[in-house]
Amino acid sequence: MSEDSIISLQNVNKWFGEFHVLKDVDLEVKKKERIVVCGPSGSGKSTMIRCINRLEEHQEGTIIVDGIELTGNLKNIDSVRKEVGMVFQQFNLFPHLSVKENITLAPIWVKKMPKAEAEELAMQQLEIVKIPEQADKYPGQLSGGQQQRVAIARSLAMKPNIMLFDEPTSALDPEMIKEVLDVMIDLAEGGMTMIVVTHEMGFAKTVADRMVFMDEGRIVEQAVPEKFFNNPESDRTKLFLSQILNH
Amino acid sequence: MNEITQTRKPPVATTGILGWLRMNLFSNWINSLISLFVLYILIQFIPWILNWTIFAADFKYNFNGEEIINREMCSRVLDPENGGACWAIIYVRFYQFMYGFYPRDEVWRVNLSYIMLAVAVVPLLFDKFPFRKHFLKFTYVFPVIAFFLLNGGLGLESVSTNKWGGLLVTLVLGCTGIALAFPLGIILALGRRSNLPVISMMCTLFIEFIRGVPLITLLFFGMVMLPLFLPEGVNMDGLARVLVAVTLFQSAYMAEVIRGGLQAIPQGQYEAARSIGLSYWQMNMKVVLPQAIRISIPSIVNTSIGLFKDTTLVIIVGLLDLLGIGRGALADTTWLGLAYEVYFFVSLVFFIFTFAMSRYSLYLEKKLKTGINMGAD
């Protein structure tokens, strides 16, 4: 593990039953680095980032997040989850709680923050994602783009050092993708360490410090966006790029 | 306003009473026939039932104006053609139906408990109730107060539970059974879904065993076998033993109902809760259970109604609940043969409670549907 790595995956292997999803995955992420992970479906990219906050368990290799190694130790897992925020494809907001309650839930219960303070914090986060006026609505009353922004605000309220995005715009209608990407670009410019699984190549070109291409459970290629898009090394990458860029 | 955006009134034939009749009762000839038939039956029976239960019925006095003290004085025995129900049997034994053999001097304690039960339950059921938070504090301490009030202690004269009876026993069994089984059921449901094999297996075994056994068997178990498990010298009250059996029985059913609700919660809810750092219990208490219980409300009420009625089985082990008192009344030679009245009355009391529960569940469903859109999309 290099000195300034905040996330380090070494030789990570994972199986779903007999199926080998992650094969010898090595990845180093520096502080404030923005990584975009892409690859065909089933290539293990979601599984990889889900291993980083232990929503999935890896079977071999080491994962170290912010100096904490992920093992069966529940205390470690809890402290890692406090450091790492995650945004899901399906938003996964809590439908029985209002927007504000969705955001204050973890600060109040995990960080034991007083309610008034947590609500103030929630309003700050909603300002960041540009929907403070929706604070008292329920998730079911919001559009997909608004829900995803609430989900981002909910993660940010725990003041994470790292944000993981698992195809955050894949479930959105086209006209709502931009509002979510704009929020993510703001975050990136604010210096957040981010790993984003996405097919939004425009977004990747704008914010990524490094592209990671995965196929069949392996990291096939890693490069800065300019090189990745214009001059990829592997044939597999070239094929993938030609398929998603030329349509 | 231009032509296109102008709204028109719907055709007359689809609105109002006539429209409703046409749509719902006479939409085609089969429906019309059925409607007329049902109407005929209602016209035939409703007046007869009203007449028998109310207009021609005796309450305290018979048609000669004498106070009824035995079955021979009932109008319907004196004049089988015209006499209606003889409610005097209920009137005379009303005290027993409500309180069993609870001492008359102490009966204020039962009445006070009934009133406090209402004060404890109503704010629990309606979340818009004024000062609900403060009332709920009372709801939590109510069981303790009720226990001392009914049972005695703390300066109150002790009233042995074998003197309790009638509606009192029915309500004590029903309310305590439902109230205790609910949290127990939640724990069992979570346990059954636990990742820890030992806990999951124990909960599954418990649930399947209890569900596989008739309630009567459990009641006998409570009566006969439970004392064997207790240390020597500890004498467990009869009612308490039955309560244990009823609670275990109900909690197994409740667990399965809640497990059904838990299964309807998408995996994403668990992942989101975990990803923001909630612990297992926080995740369940704040995210998963509120949604799961909401989904299960109809079934929860359903099993609760079932239990409330099943409490009548305690007659088998010698407790006199409402139905037990009724059967006692029927066995009394002075009132022999008034079975219709007794069973009608007992049914009516049960119906009032179960119908209220069923209405409440409908109200909740409606409220939750309109209040919050549960679907994410």
PDB file of all heavy atoms in Angstrom, chain A residues 85-104:
ATOM      1  N   GLY A  85     -19.565   7.005   2.259  1.00  0.00           N
ATOM      2  CA  GLY A  85     -20.963   7.164   1.876  1.00  0.00           C
ATOM      3  C   GLY A  85     -21.228   6.391   0.603  1.00  0.00           C
ATOM      4  O   GLY A  85     -20.324   6.156  -0.185  1.00  0.00           O
ATOM      5  N   MET A  86     -22.485   5.975   0.434  1.00  0.00           N
ATOM      6  CA  MET A  86     -22.779   5.223  -0.780  1.00  0.00           C
ATOM      7  C   MET A  86     -24.105   5.678  -1.384  1.00  0.00           C
ATOM      8  O   MET A  86     -25.070   5.920  -0.676  1.00  0.00           O
ATOM      9  CB  MET A  86     -22.847   3.734  -0.472  1.00  0.00           C
ATOM     10  CG  MET A  86     -23.137   2.899  -1.693  1.00  0.00           C
ATOM     11  SD  MET A  86     -22.301   1.324  -1.586  1.00  0.00           S
ATOM     12  CE  MET A  86     -22.528   0.702  -3.235  1.00  0.00           C
ATOM     13  N   VAL A  87     -24.102   5.785  -2.705  1.00  0.00           N
ATOM     14  CA  VAL A  87     -25.328   6.152  -3.434  1.00  0.00           C
ATOM     15  C   VAL A  87     -25.658   5.013  -4.384  1.00  0.00           C
ATOM     16  O   VAL A  87     -24.776   4.508  -5.086  1.00  0.00           O
ATOM     17  CB  VAL A  87     -25.111   7.465  -4.209  1.00  0.00           C
ATOM     18  CG1 VAL A  87     -26.338   7.792  -5.053  1.00  0.00           C
ATOM     19  CG2 VAL A  87     -24.810   8.606  -3.245  1.00  0.00           C
ATOM     20  N   PHE A  88     -26.936   4.608  -4.361  1.00  0.00           N
ATOM     21  CA  PHE A  88     -27.331   3.400  -5.089  1.00  0.00           C
ATOM     22  C   PHE A  88     -28.083   3.740  -6.370  1.00  0.00           C
ATOM     23  O   PHE A  88     -28.681   4.800  -6.501  1.00  0.00           O
ATOM     24  CB  PHE A  88     -28.260   2.546  -4.216  1.00  0.00           C
ATOM     25  CG  PHE A  88     -27.645   2.123  -2.917  1.00  0.00           C
ATOM     26  CD1 PHE A  88     -27.694   2.946  -1.802  1.00  0.00           C
ATOM     27  CD2 PHE A  88     -27.020   0.888  -2.807  1.00  0.00           C
ATOM     28  CE1 PHE A  88     -27.139   2.555  -0.603  1.00  0.00           C
ATOM     29  CE2 PHE A  88     -26.459   0.496  -1.614  1.00  0.00           C
ATOM     30  CZ  PHE A  88     -26.520   1.321  -0.504  1.00  0.00           C
ATOM     31  N   GLN A  89     -28.090   2.783  -7.259  1.00  0.00           N
ATOM     32  CA  GLN A  89     -28.832   2.946  -8.510  1.00  0.00           C
ATOM     33  C   GLN A  89     -30.317   3.220  -8.243  1.00  0.00           C
ATOM     34  O   GLN A  89     -30.918   4.086  -8.853  1.00  0.00           O
ATOM     35  CB  GLN A  89     -28.674   1.666  -9.338  1.00  0.00           C
ATOM     36  CG  GLN A  89     -29.337   1.734 -10.684  1.00  0.00           C
ATOM     37  CD  GLN A  89     -29.106   0.461 -11.488  1.00  0.00           C
ATOM     38  OE1 GLN A  89     -28.451  -0.475 -11.029  1.00  0.00           O
ATOM     39  NE2 GLN A  89     -29.633   0.428 -12.691  1.00  0.00           N
ATOM     40  N   GLN A  90     -30.899   2.465  -7.303  1.00  0.00           N
ATOM     41  CA  GLN A  90     -32.339   2.593  -7.030  1.00  0.00           C
ATOM     42  C   GLN A  90     -32.632   3.574  -5.893  1.00  0.00           C
ATOM     43  O   GLN A  90     -33.675   3.480  -5.256  1.00  0.00           O
ATOM     44  CB  GLN A  90     -32.930   1.220  -6.696  1.00  0.00           C
ATOM     45  CG  GLN A  90     -32.830   0.212  -7.811  1.00  0.00           C
ATOM     46  CD  GLN A  90     -33.662   0.598  -9.026  1.00  0.00           C
ATOM     47  OE1 GLN A  90     -34.543   1.440  -8.933  1.00  0.00           O
ATOM     48  NE2 GLN A  90     -33.373   0.004 -10.168  1.00  0.00           N
ATOM     49  N   PHE A  91     -31.738   4.465  -5.588  1.00  0.00           N
ATOM     50  CA  PHE A  91     -31.871   5.515  -4.553  1.00  0.00           C
ATOM     51  C   PHE A  91     -31.973   4.931  -3.138  1.00  0.00           C
ATOM     52  O   PHE A  91     -31.289   5.388  -2.242  1.00  0.00           O
ATOM     53  CB  PHE A  91     -33.074   6.437  -4.771  1.00  0.00           C
ATOM     54  CG  PHE A  91     -33.496   6.625  -6.202  1.00  0.00           C
ATOM     55  CD1 PHE A  91     -34.817   6.555  -6.573  1.00  0.00           C
ATOM     56  CD2 PHE A  91     -32.538   6.864  -7.180  1.00  0.00           C
ATOM     57  CE1 PHE A  91     -35.200   6.731  -7.898  1.00  0.00           C
ATOM     58  CE2 PHE A  91     -32.905   7.042  -8.508  1.00  0.00           C
ATOM     59  CZ  PHE A  91     -34.240   6.972  -8.863  1.00  0.00           C
ATOM     60  N   ASN A  92     -32.889   3.961  -2.966  1.00  0.00           N
ATOM     61  CA  ASN A  92     -33.072   3.335  -1.655  1.00  0.00           C
ATOM     62  C   ASN A  92     -33.337   4.332  -0.536  1.00  0.00           C
ATOM     63  O   ASN A  92     -32.848   4.181   0.579  1.00  0.00           O
ATOM     64  CB  ASN A  92     -31.864   2.469  -1.265  1.00  0.00           C
ATOM     65  CG  ASN A  92     -31.677   1.296  -2.201  1.00  0.00           C
ATOM     66  OD1 ASN A  92     -32.606   0.964  -2.949  1.00  0.00           O
ATOM     67  ND2 ASN A  92     -30.532   0.682  -2.175  1.00  0.00           N
ATOM     68  N   LEU A  93     -34.161   5.329  -0.824  1.00  0.00           N
ATOM     69  CA  LEU A  93     -34.608   6.204   0.262  1.00  0.00           C
ATOM     70  C   LEU A  93     -35.592   5.431   1.129  1.00  0.00           C
ATOM     71  O   LEU A  93     -36.183   4.450   0.681  1.00  0.00           O
ATOM     72  CB  LEU A  93     -35.281   7.448  -0.314  1.00  0.00           C
ATOM     73  CG  LEU A  93     -34.339   8.398  -1.053  1.00  0.00           C
ATOM     74  CD1 LEU A  93     -35.129   9.570  -1.612  1.00  0.00           C
ATOM     75  CD2 LEU A  93     -33.242   8.894  -0.134  1.00  0.00           C
ATOM     76  N   PHE A  94     -35.763   5.900   2.370  1.00  0.00           N
ATOM     77  CA  PHE A  94     -36.707   5.229   3.265  1.00  0.00           C
ATOM     78  C   PHE A  94     -38.091   5.832   3.034  1.00  0.00           C
ATOM     79  O   PHE A  94     -38.344   6.981   3.414  1.00  0.00           O
ATOM     80  CB  PHE A  94     -36.267   5.396   4.714  1.00  0.00           C
ATOM     81  CG  PHE A  94     -34.839   4.968   4.942  1.00  0.00           C
ATOM     82  CD1 PHE A  94     -33.955   5.771   5.637  1.00  0.00           C
ATOM     83  CD2 PHE A  94     -34.384   3.761   4.439  1.00  0.00           C
ATOM     84  CE1 PHE A  94     -32.643   5.377   5.835  1.00  0.00           C
ATOM     85  CE2 PHE A  94     -33.071   3.354   4.622  1.00  0.00           C
ATOM     86  CZ  PHE A  94     -32.198   4.165   5.327  1.00  0.00           C
ATOM     87  N   PRO A  95     -39.008   5.075   2.436  1.00  0.00           N
ATOM     88  CA  PRO A  95     -40.266   5.683   1.970  1.00  0.00           C
ATOM     89  C   PRO A  95     -41.176   6.144   3.097  1.00  0.00           C
ATOM     90  O   PRO A  95     -42.047   6.966   2.878  1.00  0.00           O
ATOM     91  CB  PRO A  95     -40.930   4.549   1.175  1.00  0.00           C
ATOM     92  CG  PRO A  95     -40.306   3.309   1.676  1.00  0.00           C
ATOM     93  CD  PRO A  95     -38.915   3.657   2.099  1.00  0.00           C
ATOM     94  N   HIS A  96     -40.984   5.607   4.318  1.00  0.00           N
ATOM     95  CA  HIS A  96     -41.887   5.985   5.411  1.00  0.00           C
ATOM     96  C   HIS A  96     -41.406   7.231   6.135  1.00  0.00           C
ATOM     97  O   HIS A  96     -42.064   7.694   7.053  1.00  0.00           O
ATOM     98  CB  HIS A  96     -42.024   4.826   6.392  1.00  0.00           C
ATOM     99  CG  HIS A  96     -40.716   4.434   7.034  1.00  0.00           C
ATOM    100  ND1 HIS A  96     -39.633   4.009   6.304  1.00  0.00           N
ATOM    101  CD2 HIS A  96     -40.323   4.418   8.310  1.00  0.00           C
ATOM    102  CE1 HIS A  96     -38.643   3.740   7.113  1.00  0.00           C
ATOM    103  NE2 HIS A  96     -39.027   3.986   8.351  1.00  0.00           N
ATOM    104  N   LEU A  97     -40.245   7.755   5.745  1.00  0.00           N
ATOM    105  CA  LEU A  97     -39.710   8.945   6.409  1.00  0.00           C
ATOM    106  C   LEU A  97     -39.684  10.114   5.424  1.00  0.00           C
ATOM    107  O   LEU A  97     -39.497   9.914   4.222  1.00  0.00           O
ATOM    108  CB  LEU A  97     -38.282   8.679   6.905  1.00  0.00           C
ATOM    109  CG  LEU A  97     -38.106   7.549   7.923  1.00  0.00           C
ATOM    110  CD1 LEU A  97     -36.635   7.386   8.260  1.00  0.00           C
ATOM    111  CD2 LEU A  97     -38.894   7.852   9.184  1.00  0.00           C
ATOM    112  N   SER A  98     -39.877  11.320   5.954  1.00  0.00           N
ATOM    113  CA  SER A  98     -39.796  12.493   5.098  1.00  0.00           C
ATOM    114  C   SER A  98     -38.353  12.687   4.658  1.00  0.00           C
ATOM    115  O   SER A  98     -37.434  12.058   5.182  1.00  0.00           O
ATOM    116  CB  SER A  98     -40.294  13.723   5.848  1.00  0.00           C
ATOM    117  OG  SER A  98     -39.332  14.105   6.808  1.00  0.00           O
ATOM    118  N   VAL A  99     -38.177  13.568   3.673  1.00  0.00           N
ATOM    119  CA  VAL A  99     -36.833  13.845   3.173  1.00  0.00           C
ATOM    120  C   VAL A  99     -35.903  14.235   4.319  1.00  0.00           C
ATOM    121  O   VAL A  99     -34.804  13.704   4.477  1.00  0.00           O
ATOM    122  CB  VAL A  99     -36.904  14.966   2.114  1.00  0.00           C
ATOM    123  CG1 VAL A  99     -35.542  15.545   1.840  1.00  0.00           C
ATOM    124  CG2 VAL A  99     -37.542  14.428   0.836  1.00  0.00           C
ATOM    125  N   LYS A 100     -36.400  15.135   5.164  1.00  0.00           N
ATOM    126  CA  LYS A 100     -35.564  15.601   6.266  1.00  0.00           C
ATOM    127  C   LYS A 100     -35.228  14.451   7.219  1.00  0.00           C
ATOM    128  O   LYS A 100     -34.085  14.298   7.652  1.00  0.00           O
ATOM    129  CB  LYS A 100     -36.300  16.724   7.007  1.00  0.00           C
ATOM    130  CG  LYS A 100     -35.368  17.611   7.817  1.00  0.00           C
ATOM    131  CD  LYS A 100     -36.135  18.465   8.798  1.00  0.00           C
ATOM    132  CE  LYS A 100     -36.685  19.723   8.169  1.00  0.00           C
ATOM    133  NZ  LYS A 100     -37.512  20.504   9.116  1.00  0.00           N
ATOM    134  N   GLU A 101     -36.235  13.621   7.504  1.00  0.00           N
ATOM    135  CA  GLU A 101     -36.003  12.496   8.425  1.00  0.00           C
ATOM    136  C   GLU A 101     -35.047  11.471   7.830  1.00  0.00           C
ATOM    137  O   GLU A 101     -34.255  10.849   8.550  1.00  0.00           O
ATOM    138  CB  GLU A 101     -37.334  11.827   8.781  1.00  0.00           C
ATOM    139  CG  GLU A 101     -38.202  12.656   9.696  1.00  0.00           C
ATOM    140  CD  GLU A 101     -39.654  12.210   9.707  1.00  0.00           C
ATOM    141  OE1 GLU A 101     -40.085  11.472   8.796  1.00  0.00           O
ATOM    142  OE2 GLU A 101     -40.374  12.621  10.622  1.00  0.00           O
ATOM    143  N   ASN A 102     -35.115  11.282   6.509  1.00  0.00           N
ATOM    144  CA  ASN A 102     -34.167  10.402   5.845  1.00  0.00           C
ATOM    145  C   ASN A 102     -32.741  10.845   6.125  1.00  0.00           C
ATOM    146  O   ASN A 102     -31.860  10.033   6.375  1.00  0.00           O
ATOM    147  CB  ASN A 102     -34.404  10.431   4.329  1.00  0.00           C
ATOM    148  CG  ASN A 102     -35.233   9.257   3.841  1.00  0.00           C
ATOM    149  OD1 ASN A 102     -34.708   8.171   3.641  1.00  0.00           O
ATOM    150  ND2 ASN A 102     -36.520   9.467   3.682  1.00  0.00           N
ATOM    151  N   ILE A 103     -32.544  12.159   6.074  1.00  0.00           N
ATOM    152  CA  ILE A 103     -31.183  12.680   6.200  1.00  0.00           C
ATOM    153  C   ILE A 103     -30.737  12.724   7.661  1.00  0.00           C
ATOM    154  O   ILE A 103     -29.582  12.450   7.971  1.00  0.00           O
ATOM    155  CB  ILE A 103     -31.092  14.080   5.564  1.00  0.00           C
ATOM    156  CG1 ILE A 103     -31.498  13.984   4.091  1.00  0.00           C
ATOM    157  CG2 ILE A 103     -29.695  14.659   5.689  1.00  0.00           C
ATOM    158  CD1 ILE A 103     -31.618  15.314   3.392  1.00  0.00           C
ATOM    159  N   THR A 104     -31.676  13.042   8.579  1.00  0.00           N
ATOM    160  CA  THR A 104     -31.254  13.181   9.983  1.00  0.00           C
ATOM    161  C   THR A 104     -31.123  11.835  10.694  1.00  0.00           C
ATOM    162  O   THR A 104     -30.536  11.769  11.770  1.00  0.00           O
ATOM    163  CB  THR A 104     -32.251  14.043  10.781  1.00  0.00           C
ATOM    164  OG1 THR A 104     -33.554  13.472  10.642  1.00  0.00           O
ATOM    165  CG2 THR A 104     -32.269  15.474  10.297  1.00  0.00           C
TER     166      THR A 104
END
